[in-house]
């Protein structure tokens, strides 16, 4: 059985801030469409917790809470830790109410 | 081409050094560098051997599994430099032996996340030795077994067959994703440890949901069977799960059907996620996603319902 790497690691540099962006393993399926789809799904999940997320210029995500606090995050891994910081609690994917809402 | 690294873990006196010593005697193992934390009584000094002092760097997350082993990273970089400068014999593989009481996850994190190390090395497999006479010994021992790809039950010659069968069954329940072999005097063929297929996924069918110990907070394992899963939904779900419960999820391993010709091989050790690998073909006729979870504080039903909900949201 042959193996091949599905998503190769790439290093990108943000044209605005010069930050080196190492792509997260869950974000290496390329393309603006895939990114937009991911951002919409993230927004839906985060919406359950009273947060919103939108993709900013295909480079970073902007996370907001209902009080107007916001955070700029670079990848999907950082989304959850920033959301946790904004909310002051853990966002658990096994939360029964979240599971029920996403199943509708 | 990256140099494969094999991590050998196991409790104090469980036979790690004996296993490595015997392995190095095999003709095909000549070009192997060994990094050890402590020099044991069994000499392996005729091989390239480096001693690593304990020195760790704590990342901002403060999580135990995210402690970077700066010493190990330095050693691995140093080995590369010396190989390039012909200061050490050429090596094709590195074996890292952990201390008996060590939590192996910081080493895995180092191998998967330290940029230079990640660029030049790849974690090939994690081997855990389990003392056939004394069995599992405490939380560290359980964790070492939980994160392993290969389990070697040592001192097989000293263990009565019924006790051995019980211990083998216990190990298989605790880590259904690992291949298991009993060995006396460290006798294991290198091919079995380093190459060859993963454990036959069909075996997972018969896995018995199991809690190691009498309480809910003890380590348990379960296998999730699902049909095709949306890759974006899975990525979101797993990253969220590891953020929320990474301390309690010791190991995730398995095949995911994302709609392609072959499955995606998923593997993580606590927060450290291996780059997903797409296999060209399935190992058998079963096209279901099969994921092994080892940890505490969850049930197969909860994980399945949650992942299905994320998948549903991605499709509707």
């Amino acid at each position: 059985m042959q193996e091949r790497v599905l998503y190769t690691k790439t290093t990108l540099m943000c044209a605005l801030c010069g930050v080196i962006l190492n792509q997260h393993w869950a974000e290496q399926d390329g393309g603006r469409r895939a990114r937009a789809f991911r951002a919409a799904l993230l927004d839906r999940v985060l919406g359950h917790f009273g947060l919103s997320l939108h993709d900013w210029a295909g480079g970073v995500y902007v996370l907001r809470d209902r009080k107007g606090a916001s955070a700029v995050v670079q990848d999907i891994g950082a989304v959850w830790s920033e959301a946790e910081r904004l909310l002051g609690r853990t966002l658990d994917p096994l939360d029964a109410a979240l599971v029920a809402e996403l199943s509708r | 081409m990256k140099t494969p690294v094999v991590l050998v873990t196991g409790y104090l006196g469980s036979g790690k050094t004996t296993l490595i010593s015997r392995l190095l005697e095999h003709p095909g193992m000549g070009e192997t560098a060994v990094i050890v934390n402590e020099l044991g009584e069994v000499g392996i000094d005729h091989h390239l051997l480096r001693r690593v002092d304990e020195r760790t760097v704590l990342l901002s997350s403060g999580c135990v599994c995210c402690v970077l082993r700066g010493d190990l990273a330095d050693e691995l970089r140093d080995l590369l430099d010396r190989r390039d400068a012909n200061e050490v014999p050429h090596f094709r593989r590195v074996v890292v032996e952990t201390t008996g009481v060590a939590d192996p996850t910081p080493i895995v994190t180092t191998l998967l996340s330290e940029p230079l190390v990640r660029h030049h090395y790849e974690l090939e497999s994690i081997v855990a030795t389990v003392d056939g006479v004394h069995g599992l010994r405490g939380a560290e021992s359980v964790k070492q077994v939980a994160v392993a790809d290969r389990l070697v039950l040592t001192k097989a010659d000293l263990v009565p067959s019924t006790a051995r069968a019980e211990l083998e069954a216990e190990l298989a329940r605790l880590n259904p994703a690992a291949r298991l072999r009993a060995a006396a005097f460290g006798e294991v063929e290198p091919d079995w440890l380093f190459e060859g297929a993963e454990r036959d996924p069909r075996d997972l069918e018969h896995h018995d949901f199991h809690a190691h110990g009498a309480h809910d907070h003890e380590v348990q394992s379960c296998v999730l069977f699902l049909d095709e899963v949306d890759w974006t939904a899975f990525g979101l779900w797993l990253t969220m799960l590891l953020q929320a419960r990474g301390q309690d999820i010791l190991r995730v391993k398995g095949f995911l059907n994302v709609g392609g010709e072959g499955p995606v091989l998923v593997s993580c050790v606590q927060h450290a996620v291996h780059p997903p690998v797409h296999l060209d073909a399935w190992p058998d006729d079963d096209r279901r996603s099969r994921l092994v979870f080892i940890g505490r504080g969850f049930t197969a039903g909860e994980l399945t319902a949650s992942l299905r909900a994320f998948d549903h949201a991605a499709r509707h």
Side-chain angles (χ1 to χ4, degrees):
Chain A
M1 193 160 50
Q2 271 198 325
E3 289 186 6
R4 63 187 167 85
V5 175
L6 178 60
Y7 308 113
T8 54
K9 280 274 174 193
T10 52
T11 302
L12 303 172
M13 185 177 284
C14 172
L16 286 174
C17 57
V19 170
I20 304 285
L21 305 172
N22 246 325
Q23 279 198 300
H24 191 276
W25 67 267
E27 296 191 314
Q28 292 171 5
D29 44 1
R32 289 166 60 184
R33 234 172 116 176
R35 188 177 169 85
F37 179 59
R38 188 163 45 245
L41 192 55
L42 277 167
D43 185 52
R44 182 162 174 199
V45 174
L46 289 162
H48 173 78
F49 299 96
L51 301 172
S52 69
L53 175 139
H54 76 268
D55 185 15
W56 188 67
V60 293
Y61 301 111
V62 180
L63 193 60
R64 286 199 172 85
D65 70 8
R66 284 176 182 151
K67 297 173 198 159
S70 64
V72 175
V73 287
Q74 289 192 349
D75 63 38
I76 192 172
V79 163
W80 305 119
S81 53
E82 274 305 308
E84 212 171 75
R85 194 182 59 79
L86 283 174
L87 280 176
R89 68 183 173 95
T90 304
L91 289 76
D92 187 0
L94 307 189
D95 178 306
L98 171 68
V99 170
E101 189 175 313
L102 294 179
S103 302
R104 277 206 290 271
Chain B
M1 199 174 140
K2 294 185 182 183
T3 303
V5 177
V6 177
L7 186 61
V8 179
T9 184
Y11 203 71
L12 290 166
S14 64
K16 296 184 294 298
T17 310
T18 306
L19 179 78
I20 293 171
S21 303
R22 297 306 293 263
L23 276 173
L24 294 175
E25 289 169 7
H26 283 267
M29 294 294 292
E31 296 180 319
T32 300
V34 182
I35 296 178
V36 296
N37 271 122
E38 54 204 351
L39 294 171
E41 290 176 6
V42 183
I44 44 178
D45 52 2
H46 59 293
H47 289 275
L48 181 55
L49 187 69
R50 305 296 300 255
R51 187 174 187 281
V52 182
D53 294 319
E54 292 283 353
R55 180 158 55 83
T56 57
V57 179
L58 192 64
L59 294 185
S60 57
S61 67
C63 167
V64 176
C65 87
C66 295
V67 176
L68 273 186
R69 289 290 306 270
D71 50 353
L72 178 64
D74 290 346
E75 280 299 326
L76 288 168
R77 280 194 296 259
D78 190 50
L79 269 178
L80 282 179
D81 292 343
R82 285 164 172 261
R83 183 173 67 179
D84 292 346
N86 290 320
E87 290 175 12
V88 295
H90 182 78
F91 59 89
R92 290 188 298 121
R93 175 182 275 118
V94 177
V95 173
V96 178
E97 180 189 348
T98 71
T99 58
V101 289
D103 177 348
T105 49
I107 295 173
V108 176
T109 304
T110 302
L111 290 167
L112 292 177
S113 63
E114 208 280 336
L116 200 134
V117 170
R118 195 179 66 193
H119 190 70
H120 292 283
Y121 294 96
E122 63 183 348
L123 178 59
E124 188 175 34
S125 68
I126 303 172
V127 178
T129 54
V130 178
D131 190 318
V133 177
H134 296 105
L136 293 170
R137 302 171 80 178
E140 289 306 339
S141 184
V142 168
K143 190 164 188 182
Q144 290 162 354
V145 168
V147 303
D149 301 296
R150 306 280 193 274
L151 297 172
V152 180
L153 199 156
T154 60
K155 307 173 188 173
D157 54 313
L158 302 176
V159 192
S161 57
T162 48
R164 181 174 138 185
E166 279 174 25
L167 184 54
E168 285 180 348
E170 185 180 13
L171 296 176
R173 282 194 301 267
L174 180 58
N175 185 344
R179 299 174 81 196
L180 172 66
R181 166 135 334 163
F185 307 107
E187 273 299 343
V188 179
E189 311 84 68
D191 284 357
W192 183 84
L193 274 182
F194 303 135
E195 286 154 25
E198 297 295 314
R199 183 176 170 178
D200 188 334
R202 280 169 292 198
D203 291 352
L204 297 177
E205 199 78 63
H206 310 293
H207 177 61
D208 174 23
F209 178 74
H210 174 69
H212 180 78
H215 307 291
D216 288 345
H217 62 268
E218 299 287 357
V219 172
Q220 59 196 17
S221 69
C222 62
V223 187
L224 272 52
F225 291 96
L226 298 114
D227 294 323
E228 187 180 322
V229 177
D230 180 90
W231 173 251
T232 301
F234 179 77
L236 250 74
W237 179 77
L238 187 62
T239 51
M240 189 178 181
L241 186 70
L242 294 179
Q243 173 69 29
R245 293 169 178 253
Q247 306 264 27
D248 290 332
I249 294 178
L250 304 180
R251 189 82 162 103
V252 182
K253 191 173 182 184
F255 297 120
L256 200 67
N257 180 345
V258 293
E261 281 193 15
V264 174
L265 186 60
V266 175
S267 177
C268 32
V269 173
Q270 286 204 282
H271 291 154
V273 181
H274 288 248
V277 174
H278 194 279
L279 304 178
D280 287 336
W282 286 85
D284 55 29
D285 294 334
D286 192 347
R287 295 290 180 269
R288 288 178 301 171
S289 301
R290 286 157 275 182
L291 292 169
V292 174
F293 279 79
I294 305 172
R296 54 193 156 244
F298 54 78
T299 66
E302 285 172 329
L303 292 170
T304 305
S306 175
L307 179 51
R308 281 205 174 119
F310 277 67
D311 184 64
H312 178 86
R315 296 172 193 276
H316 293 88

